[in-house]
Every structure is written in C-alpha cells, then in structure tokens.
Amino acid sequence: MSKGAGPGPDSDTADEAVRGTCDDASICKRFAVSSGYWKDPYIQYFVRQAKERKAPEINRGYYARVQGVNLLLNAFLRKTECNCQIINLGAGLDTTFWRLKDENLLPKKYFEVDFPAIVARKLYNIKSKPPLSKPIMETHSGESLLLDAHSLDSARYSIIGADLRNLKDMEEKLKKMSMDPQLPTLLVSECVLVYMTPEQSASLLQWATNTFPTAMLINYEQVNMMDRFGQIMVENLQRRQCNLAGVDTCQSLQSQTERFLSTGWESADAWNMMNVYSNLPQEDVMRIEKLEFLDEKELLEQLLLHYCISWATKDSLGLGLAGITF
Ligand SMILES: C[S@@+](CC[C@H](N)C(=O)[O-])C[C@H]1O[C@@H](n2cnc3c(N)ncnc32)[C@H](O)[C@@H]1O
C-alpha cells in the first residue's frame, strides 16, 4: 500500500495491526463453526483451529453477525434475482463466495478487496486447496484465468489487493476485472470501516453512491462506543496496537445512519445486534442456545449492544431495495 494513505509515520505498524484482525475474525468464525453454530465447510481451508476455546458469548456474537449479514445479503440477491454484483470490502478470509456457489445463489460476479498481503495469503490457500479452487474453475468458462500474486480474475469471482483509502487505484483495479457500475451492486463491509478515519470511510461511501446508481451497502461494526463498556473495548484493542480510527462514527445508531445519508445514500437504517439477534429465525436461535451453557448472560447482552448492522440503499432501477430489512 502507499505509505501516504495511512494516518502518520506509524502507519505501516498500524496497518499491520489492522491486517491482523483478519485472522482474529476467521479463527473465531472457525471455532464457532466447529462448535456447530452454523455450517461453513470452507473456513477450515483458510485458518487453523483455535488452540483455546472461545467463550460461548463470543460464539453467539459471531453467530448473530454472520446470520445477520447473510440475511440481508440473501434478501438483496432475491430482490435482484442474482442479476447483480457483490463487492466485499475488506473481505479478509471470508467464504461467502463458496457458500453462494453451493446454494446456487451466485451473483453475476463476486468481488473481494483487501490489502495485498491478505490477498496473497488468500490466493495461496485458493491455489493449493482444491475444495477452494474447484468452485472457481467450475464457474469459469472461456479464456484462461488471470492470476498473479495479488489478484485473481475469473468469470464469477475476482479478488484484488488494494487499499480502501486509495479509491482511484481500487476503482481502476475493479474496472480491469469487469466491474459493471450499471448492475445492481451490493457492497459489504464487515468490521472494516471502523479501521479508517471518518473522512476516509465517508469518501468510500460517497464513491459508492457516485459510482453505482442502484446499490445497497451492508455494514457491521461497533456502536455505543462512548459508554464505559465501549471505552474498555477501545482500550483492549489499543493495547494490541490496533487503533479504531473510525470510532467517532460508532457513537450511536443515529451516527451510523447519518454517515450514509450525508454521502448520497437514499435510505439508511441501523440495528444493534441485540435487536438483530431477536429477529433471526428463532428456531435456529433456540438450537444454538442449546449448544453451550451460557453463564454470562449480561456480558452477551453488553456485547450485542455494542455492535450493529447498518445498511443503506440507492435505487435508480426501482427494485424496492429500501424495503429490505430483518
Ligand atoms: C476484522 S477483519 C474482517 C474480515 C472480514 N470482513 C470478516 O468479517 O471476516 C478487517 C479486514 O479489513 C481489512 N482492511 C481494513 N482496512 C483496510 C484498508 N484500508 N484497505 C484494505 N483492506 C482493509 C483488513 O485487512 C482485514 O482483512
């Protein structure tokens, strides 16, 4: 990445810590998957199994996060009848492409963006593990696949190494991989924007509305960060050299929706994860609640109150995107 894109002289160290969050997320997801919270046959090929158990409240938090994002993502695919593209921003080791392929729900094209170092690792796994590469090859027809150290372009799946704070470079790379601004576009940012300053994430959100006439963005991240519990979360991350540069946008559900409305989105909503959890299919919630005994109910509630899913739409084609909700 270009050094100038970071917040200061320590930007390389800061970015390295941000890149490290990618492992945290995937290791926690893998642990929850291996404990039966949801099915993901692909995550095992990207990260090792955690050495230590994760607490039940962490597993339930990840369950709510993954199911919540999937629920809105699937609703977008239904509204557009898969005649759309998805761009996963800061995708890390996310496995959604492989899930959608298995469920016959692939969009016309699925893009992923992350720092080049993360993309290189992801590509290494894809290249060396047939369960990951086969679905990409199966959906690829015609010309030979374009592959280098920091990108791959196939008919239905593309991954690029780029910095989300360098929009010109990112856009150029996406265009090279046949991103089509006229297609209904779903952007996903799961625990990503919080690592950028409010100005940098606002530029990204504005770029999206300037580029795509019909779009939705799903964002998962912290909220209510100004209270005591929120401050402890910030301090814990800082101790690991990880600075939440975007924490000011995570004050409230209102600050989360306002960031969309001030960057050209037509509609926006934000729910804390407590609310999301209560609105997930309750049969499955009852199933996962039986998996492990939860001692710390209050801690789970606090955790869920300090994360949210926010989403926004812009709908030039009149597909009814503003109606998507839990
Ligand atoms: C907490 S991880 C989440 C990964 C994935 N979205 C998930 O939820 O499993 C944050 C990801 O965002 C990426 N990221 C953060 N800032 C970025 C930037 N400026 N440019 C590219 N990627 C970035 C990190 O490298 C990391 O993979």
mmCIF file of all heavy atoms in Angstrom, residues 18-19 21-22 25-26 29 65 88-94 113-115 118 162-165 189-192 195-196, ligand 1:
data_model
loop_
_atom_site.group_PDB
_atom_site.id
_atom_site.type_symbol
_atom_site.label_atom_id
_atom_site.label_comp_id
_atom_site.label_asym_id
_atom_site.label_seq_id
_atom_site.Cartn_x
_atom_site.Cartn_y
_atom_site.Cartn_z
ATOM 1 N N VAL A 18 -4.140 -3.811 11.814
ATOM 2 C CA VAL A 18 -5.466 -3.930 11.191
ATOM 3 C C VAL A 18 -5.543 -5.234 10.397
ATOM 4 O O VAL A 18 -6.525 -5.977 10.462
ATOM 5 C CB VAL A 18 -5.756 -2.700 10.295
ATOM 6 C CG1 VAL A 18 -6.988 -2.935 9.445
ATOM 7 C CG2 VAL A 18 -5.921 -1.451 11.149
ATOM 8 N N ARG A 19 -4.467 -5.530 9.666
ATOM 9 C CA ARG A 19 -4.453 -6.785 8.896
ATOM 10 C C ARG A 19 -4.582 -7.989 9.824
ATOM 11 O O ARG A 19 -5.208 -8.986 9.483
ATOM 12 C CB ARG A 19 -3.165 -6.883 8.062
ATOM 13 C CG ARG A 19 -3.216 -6.039 6.803
ATOM 14 C CD ARG A 19 -2.029 -6.329 5.900
ATOM 15 N NE ARG A 19 -0.803 -5.713 6.356
ATOM 16 C CZ ARG A 19 -0.383 -4.484 6.029
ATOM 17 N NH1 ARG A 19 -1.111 -3.749 5.231
ATOM 18 N NH2 ARG A 19 0.745 -4.004 6.482
ATOM 19 N N THR A 21 -6.407 -8.290 12.317
ATOM 20 C CA THR A 21 -7.800 -8.529 12.732
ATOM 21 C C THR A 21 -8.475 -9.553 11.829
ATOM 22 O O THR A 21 -9.485 -10.146 12.196
ATOM 23 C CB THR A 21 -8.621 -7.225 12.695
ATOM 24 O OG1 THR A 21 -8.686 -6.760 11.337
ATOM 25 C CG2 THR A 21 -8.011 -6.154 13.582
ATOM 26 N N CYS A 22 -7.911 -9.728 10.642
ATOM 27 C CA CYS A 22 -8.486 -10.675 9.692
ATOM 28 C C CYS A 22 -8.390 -12.100 10.238
ATOM 29 O O CYS A 22 -9.337 -12.887 10.137
ATOM 30 C CB CYS A 22 -7.750 -10.497 8.378
ATOM 31 S SG CYS A 22 -7.665 -11.875 7.323
ATOM 32 N N ALA A 25 -10.907 -12.598 13.238
ATOM 33 C CA ALA A 25 -12.286 -12.831 12.805
ATOM 34 C C ALA A 25 -12.452 -14.271 12.311
ATOM 35 O O ALA A 25 -13.387 -14.975 12.706
ATOM 36 C CB ALA A 25 -12.657 -11.837 11.700
ATOM 37 N N SER A 26 -11.515 -14.718 11.475
ATOM 38 C CA SER A 26 -11.687 -16.043 10.873
ATOM 39 C C SER A 26 -11.471 -17.166 11.885
ATOM 40 O O SER A 26 -12.136 -18.203 11.808
ATOM 41 C CB SER A 26 -10.735 -16.218 9.704
ATOM 42 O OG SER A 26 -10.963 -15.201 8.788
ATOM 43 N N LYS A 29 -14.613 -17.366 13.794
ATOM 44 C CA LYS A 29 -15.677 -17.977 12.981
ATOM 45 C C LYS A 29 -15.448 -19.487 12.881
ATOM 46 O O LYS A 29 -16.373 -20.273 13.025
ATOM 47 C CB LYS A 29 -15.714 -17.343 11.586
ATOM 48 C CG LYS A 29 -16.334 -15.950 11.581
ATOM 49 C CD LYS A 29 -16.361 -15.352 10.175
ATOM 50 C CE LYS A 29 -16.931 -13.926 10.201
ATOM 51 N NZ LYS A 29 -16.933 -13.293 8.895
ATOM 52 N N ARG A 65 -23.699 -12.093 14.027
ATOM 53 C CA ARG A 65 -23.042 -11.305 12.974
ATOM 54 C C ARG A 65 -23.168 -11.980 11.611
ATOM 55 O O ARG A 65 -23.605 -11.370 10.624
ATOM 56 C CB ARG A 65 -21.569 -11.136 13.375
ATOM 57 C CG ARG A 65 -20.600 -10.740 12.286
ATOM 58 C CD ARG A 65 -19.235 -10.519 12.919
ATOM 59 N NE ARG A 65 -18.158 -10.337 11.971
ATOM 60 C CZ ARG A 65 -16.906 -10.011 12.313
ATOM 61 N NH1 ARG A 65 -16.600 -9.858 13.587
ATOM 62 N NH2 ARG A 65 -15.966 -9.860 11.401
ATOM 63 N N ASN A 88 -17.170 -7.280 -1.777
ATOM 64 C CA ASN A 88 -16.891 -7.422 -0.355
ATOM 65 C C ASN A 88 -15.629 -6.614 -0.025
ATOM 66 O O ASN A 88 -14.534 -6.943 -0.458
ATOM 67 C CB ASN A 88 -16.724 -8.911 -0.014
ATOM 68 C CG ASN A 88 -16.783 -9.148 1.480
ATOM 69 O OD1 ASN A 88 -16.338 -8.316 2.260
ATOM 70 N ND2 ASN A 88 -17.328 -10.290 1.872
ATOM 71 N N LEU A 89 -15.813 -5.527 0.722
ATOM 72 C CA LEU A 89 -14.717 -4.603 1.043
ATOM 73 C C LEU A 89 -14.032 -5.053 2.323
ATOM 74 O O LEU A 89 -14.687 -5.215 3.342
ATOM 75 C CB LEU A 89 -15.281 -3.192 1.233
ATOM 76 C CG LEU A 89 -16.115 -2.633 0.071
ATOM 77 C CD1 LEU A 89 -16.917 -1.409 0.519
ATOM 78 C CD2 LEU A 89 -15.213 -2.262 -1.109
ATOM 79 N N GLY A 90 -12.729 -5.253 2.287
ATOM 80 C CA GLY A 90 -12.028 -5.770 3.472
ATOM 81 C C GLY A 90 -12.505 -7.174 3.775
ATOM 82 O O GLY A 90 -12.825 -7.518 4.906
ATOM 83 N N ALA A 91 -12.544 -8.000 2.723
ATOM 84 C CA ALA A 91 -13.163 -9.326 2.820
ATOM 85 C C ALA A 91 -12.395 -10.286 3.721
ATOM 86 O O ALA A 91 -12.954 -11.252 4.226
ATOM 87 C CB ALA A 91 -13.283 -9.938 1.433
ATOM 88 N N GLY A 92 -11.095 -10.027 3.913
ATOM 89 C CA GLY A 92 -10.306 -10.959 4.723
ATOM 90 C C GLY A 92 -10.409 -12.360 4.153
ATOM 91 O O GLY A 92 -10.296 -12.578 2.941
ATOM 92 N N LEU A 93 -10.665 -13.336 5.028
ATOM 93 C CA LEU A 93 -10.724 -14.731 4.587
ATOM 94 C C LEU A 93 -12.175 -15.210 4.484
ATOM 95 O O LEU A 93 -12.472 -16.402 4.627
ATOM 96 C CB LEU A 93 -9.908 -15.589 5.558
ATOM 97 C CG LEU A 93 -8.441 -15.124 5.688
ATOM 98 C CD1 LEU A 93 -7.725 -15.867 6.802
ATOM 99 C CD2 LEU A 93 -7.688 -15.288 4.369
ATOM 100 N N ASP A 94 -13.056 -14.268 4.222
ATOM 101 C CA ASP A 94 -14.490 -14.551 4.118
ATOM 102 C C ASP A 94 -14.780 -15.660 3.091
ATOM 103 O O ASP A 94 -14.103 -15.763 2.071
ATOM 104 C CB ASP A 94 -15.196 -13.257 3.684
ATOM 105 C CG ASP A 94 -16.692 -13.377 3.716
ATOM 106 O OD1 ASP A 94 -17.275 -13.816 2.695
ATOM 107 O OD2 ASP A 94 -17.286 -13.055 4.752
ATOM 108 N N VAL A 113 -12.015 -7.306 -1.986
ATOM 109 C CA VAL A 113 -10.905 -6.351 -1.893
ATOM 110 C C VAL A 113 -10.309 -6.458 -0.498
ATOM 111 O O VAL A 113 -11.048 -6.514 0.493
ATOM 112 C CB VAL A 113 -11.400 -4.894 -2.085
ATOM 113 C CG1 VAL A 113 -10.217 -3.921 -2.077
ATOM 114 C CG2 VAL A 113 -12.219 -4.733 -3.354
ATOM 115 N N ASP A 114 -8.992 -6.495 -0.427
ATOM 116 C CA ASP A 114 -8.315 -6.385 0.877
ATOM 117 C C ASP A 114 -6.886 -5.937 0.605
ATOM 118 O O ASP A 114 -6.474 -5.830 -0.560
ATOM 119 C CB ASP A 114 -8.347 -7.713 1.663
ATOM 120 C CG ASP A 114 -8.333 -7.470 3.178
ATOM 121 O OD1 ASP A 114 -7.351 -6.886 3.682
ATOM 122 O OD2 ASP A 114 -9.301 -7.870 3.859
ATOM 123 N N PHE A 115 -6.136 -5.687 1.660
ATOM 124 C CA PHE A 115 -4.729 -5.320 1.492
ATOM 125 C C PHE A 115 -4.013 -6.417 0.693
ATOM 126 O O PHE A 115 -4.313 -7.617 0.867
ATOM 127 C CB PHE A 115 -4.047 -5.225 2.857
ATOM 128 C CG PHE A 115 -4.361 -3.975 3.635
ATOM 129 C CD1 PHE A 115 -4.953 -4.042 4.894
ATOM 130 C CD2 PHE A 115 -4.026 -2.720 3.126
ATOM 131 C CE1 PHE A 115 -5.215 -2.892 5.624
ATOM 132 C CE2 PHE A 115 -4.291 -1.566 3.859
ATOM 133 C CZ PHE A 115 -4.886 -1.651 5.110
ATOM 134 N N ILE A 118 -2.960 -9.617 2.542
ATOM 135 C CA ILE A 118 -4.040 -10.551 2.898
ATOM 136 C C ILE A 118 -4.483 -11.334 1.655
ATOM 137 O O ILE A 118 -4.700 -12.544 1.692
ATOM 138 C CB ILE A 118 -5.251 -9.780 3.485
ATOM 139 C CG1 ILE A 118 -4.839 -9.002 4.743
ATOM 140 C CG2 ILE A 118 -6.428 -10.711 3.759
ATOM 141 C CD1 ILE A 118 -4.555 -9.817 5.957
ATOM 142 N N ALA A 162 -5.860 -4.102 -2.733
ATOM 143 C CA ALA A 162 -5.933 -2.640 -2.847
ATOM 144 C C ALA A 162 -6.222 -2.056 -1.471
ATOM 145 O O ALA A 162 -6.706 -2.751 -0.581
ATOM 146 C CB ALA A 162 -7.025 -2.231 -3.832
ATOM 147 N N ASP A 163 -5.937 -0.775 -1.334
ATOM 148 C CA ASP A 163 -6.210 -0.071 -0.091
ATOM 149 C C ASP A 163 -7.534 0.681 -0.248
ATOM 150 O O ASP A 163 -7.678 1.490 -1.179
ATOM 151 C CB ASP A 163 -5.056 0.904 0.197
ATOM 152 C CG ASP A 163 -5.151 1.508 1.586
ATOM 153 O OD1 ASP A 163 -6.277 1.747 2.059
ATOM 154 O OD2 ASP A 163 -4.088 1.744 2.191
ATOM 155 N N LEU A 164 -8.467 0.434 0.640
ATOM 156 C CA LEU A 164 -9.793 1.050 0.532
ATOM 157 C C LEU A 164 -9.721 2.571 0.696
ATOM 158 O O LEU A 164 -10.692 3.268 0.446
ATOM 159 C CB LEU A 164 -10.729 0.476 1.602
ATOM 160 C CG LEU A 164 -10.983 -1.034 1.537
ATOM 161 C CD1 LEU A 164 -11.712 -1.502 2.788
ATOM 162 C CD2 LEU A 164 -11.803 -1.368 0.296
ATOM 163 N N ARG A 165 -8.560 3.071 1.124
ATOM 164 C CA ARG A 165 -8.397 4.519 1.282
ATOM 165 C C ARG A 165 -7.823 5.152 0.022
ATOM 166 O O ARG A 165 -7.686 6.363 -0.050
ATOM 167 C CB ARG A 165 -7.479 4.802 2.484
ATOM 168 C CG ARG A 165 -8.070 4.290 3.789
ATOM 169 C CD ARG A 165 -7.033 4.225 4.881
ATOM 170 N NE ARG A 165 -5.974 3.290 4.550
ATOM 171 C CZ ARG A 165 -4.982 2.945 5.379
ATOM 172 N NH1 ARG A 165 -4.934 3.472 6.585
ATOM 173 N NH2 ARG A 165 -4.058 2.091 5.019
ATOM 174 N N SER A 189 -19.287 -4.426 4.087
ATOM 175 C CA SER A 189 -18.095 -4.108 4.890
ATOM 176 C C SER A 189 -18.343 -4.651 6.294
ATOM 177 O O SER A 189 -19.114 -4.090 7.054
ATOM 178 C CB SER A 189 -17.826 -2.601 4.912
ATOM 179 O OG SER A 189 -18.939 -1.908 5.414
ATOM 180 N N GLU A 190 -17.742 -5.780 6.567
ATOM 181 C CA GLU A 190 -17.973 -6.451 7.853
ATOM 182 C C GLU A 190 -16.769 -6.195 8.745
ATOM 183 O O GLU A 190 -15.697 -6.764 8.533
ATOM 184 C CB GLU A 190 -18.182 -7.950 7.591
ATOM 185 C CG GLU A 190 -18.681 -8.705 8.799
ATOM 186 C CD GLU A 190 -18.810 -10.207 8.511
ATOM 187 O OE1 GLU A 190 -19.180 -10.590 7.381
ATOM 188 O OE2 GLU A 190 -18.519 -10.981 9.436
ATOM 189 N N CYS A 191 -16.943 -5.327 9.710
ATOM 190 C CA CYS A 191 -15.868 -4.977 10.650
ATOM 191 C C CYS A 191 -14.659 -4.392 9.924
ATOM 192 O O CYS A 191 -13.530 -4.870 10.095
ATOM 193 C CB CYS A 191 -15.448 -6.216 11.432
ATOM 194 S SG CYS A 191 -15.602 -5.940 13.181
ATOM 195 N N VAL A 192 -14.865 -3.387 9.127
ATOM 196 C CA VAL A 192 -13.805 -2.832 8.279
ATOM 197 C C VAL A 192 -13.728 -1.304 8.387
ATOM 198 O O VAL A 192 -12.657 -0.740 8.608
ATOM 199 C CB VAL A 192 -14.046 -3.237 6.795
ATOM 200 C CG1 VAL A 192 -13.057 -2.558 5.873
ATOM 201 C CG2 VAL A 192 -13.976 -4.748 6.636
ATOM 202 N N TYR A 195 -11.769 0.799 11.018
ATOM 203 C CA TYR A 195 -10.307 0.929 10.993
ATOM 204 C C TYR A 195 -9.841 2.100 10.126
ATOM 205 O O TYR A 195 -8.644 2.306 9.945
ATOM 206 C CB TYR A 195 -9.658 -0.382 10.516
ATOM 207 C CG TYR A 195 -10.002 -1.534 11.430
ATOM 208 C CD1 TYR A 195 -10.826 -2.572 11.020
ATOM 209 C CD2 TYR A 195 -9.536 -1.545 12.745
ATOM 210 C CE1 TYR A 195 -11.158 -3.608 11.877
ATOM 211 C CE2 TYR A 195 -9.875 -2.564 13.614
ATOM 212 C CZ TYR A 195 -10.684 -3.588 13.174
ATOM 213 O OH TYR A 195 -11.028 -4.602 14.028
ATOM 214 N N MET A 196 -10.815 2.833 9.554
ATOM 215 C CA MET A 196 -10.464 4.009 8.753
ATOM 216 C C MET A 196 -10.980 5.251 9.469
ATOM 217 O O MET A 196 -11.925 5.172 10.246
ATOM 218 C CB MET A 196 -11.159 3.909 7.380
ATOM 219 C CG MET A 196 -10.814 2.634 6.640
ATOM 220 S SD MET A 196 -12.009 2.229 5.363
ATOM 221 C CE MET A 196 -11.693 3.481 4.194
HETATM 222 C C1 LIG B 1 -11.830 -7.554 11.180
HETATM 223 S S1 LIG B 1 -11.252 -8.043 9.610
HETATM 224 C C2 LIG B 1 -12.787 -8.586 8.886
HETATM 225 C C3 LIG B 1 -12.619 -9.509 7.723
HETATM 226 C C4 LIG B 1 -13.939 -9.988 7.105
HETATM 227 N N1 LIG B 1 -14.695 -8.849 6.591
HETATM 228 C C5 LIG B 1 -14.748 -10.742 8.130
HETATM 229 O O1 LIG B 1 -15.664 -10.148 8.713
HETATM 230 O O2 LIG B 1 -14.462 -11.913 8.354
HETATM 231 C C6 LIG B 1 -10.951 -6.483 8.790
HETATM 232 C C7 LIG B 1 -10.436 -6.630 7.370
HETATM 233 O O3 LIG B 1 -10.441 -5.367 6.724
HETATM 234 C C8 LIG B 1 -9.244 -5.211 6.003
HETATM 235 N N2 LIG B 1 -8.974 -3.782 5.875
HETATM 236 C C9 LIG B 1 -9.031 -2.839 6.840
HETATM 237 N N3 LIG B 1 -8.672 -1.637 6.358
HETATM 238 C C10 LIG B 1 -8.400 -1.820 5.031
HETATM 239 C C11 LIG B 1 -7.959 -0.953 4.000
HETATM 240 N N4 LIG B 1 -7.733 0.339 4.215
HETATM 241 N N5 LIG B 1 -7.783 -1.466 2.770
HETATM 242 C C12 LIG B 1 -7.998 -2.796 2.537
HETATM 243 N N6 LIG B 1 -8.413 -3.652 3.481
HETATM 244 C C13 LIG B 1 -8.600 -3.176 4.721
HETATM 245 C C14 LIG B 1 -8.214 -5.925 6.881
HETATM 246 O O4 LIG B 1 -7.043 -6.262 6.184
HETATM 247 C C15 LIG B 1 -8.994 -7.133 7.340
HETATM 248 O O5 LIG B 1 -8.892 -8.221 6.465
#
